[in-house]
Amino acid sequence: MTVPNTLLGKVMMVLHAYGIDDEELGFAELGRRTGLAKATLHRLLGELVEVRLLDRGERGYRLGGHLFQLGIRASVERRLVEVATPYLEDLYERTHETVHLGLREGHEVVYVAKIGGHRQAASPSRLGGRLPLHATAIGKALLAHAPPHVLAEILAAPLTRRAPRTVSTPGALRRQLRQVARTGVAYEFEESRIGLACVACPVLDQDDRVVAAVSVAGPTTRFHPQAHAASVQAAATGIALTLARRAALTADPAR
């Protein structure tokens, strides 16, 4: 991530130093990850603790509770998750496999909701986590409807392998995305993790712009994604229609 060499930029460097699996990071590790001078980092950490963006733990620093509160207030994602949750729950009841809701941010999918149950498949997805768009079904559903410049950037860059079957050539990815755009359904077969299959569909607005995507994933030993495509498509359509109704009511409260 490129950030400006300002106070705010340095704060963002500290906050973005935390990965999805990091609970606490020590001073030395934060210094290594941010590259900030010791005096600067020490001052920033103290100020971030004071405003509750970080909490001081036994072994170092962890992300603070105030960040969670601010995240909950993020209106677009909050509204989307509120609308989508009943459909995601219905989809889980129909499939009893892991259900996701994801958004595109740059060249990655960000998971904003996940319902897994007691027998959920081993999956690299995490709530709030990120994966490359080209390596997941939900990412391909988002990418197939992304602006042309986003697709051009991804096809021009190396396609990182997450697993042996990750699509790693631009031509193969382009062909898959054309199929996704035509059918409205994206598939993944052991592309983000060995033993995992997935089916996903985009949530589109009234102008056919992608808002989010929904997916169901399960182990290849029992999960056949094609059998669940219609259910995933129905959930994505339901979310899209509900968002459209809410937008219409907001625009015209008298309706």
Side-chain angles (χ1 to χ4, degrees), residues 24 33 54 106 116 131 135 168 189 191 232-233:
E24 287 188 9
R33 295 189 185 188
L54 291 180
L131 286 172
S168 57
F189 298 95
E191 295 166 49
V232 177
Q233 214 158 21

Side-chain angles (χ1 to χ4, degrees), residues 95-136:
T95 63
H96 290 286
E97 299 291 355
T98 305
V99 175
H100 299 106
L101 180 70
L103 306 176
R104 182 183 69 83
E105 189 168 300
H107 296 178
E108 297 175 310
V109 54
V110 179
Y111 293 90
V112 295
K114 180 176 181 178
I115 302 175
H118 293 291
R119 63 169 197 161
Q120 61 182 294
S123 168
S125 63
R126 302 284 180 86
L127 189 60
R130 299 164 178 265
L131 286 172
L133 291 170
H134 72 277
T136 65

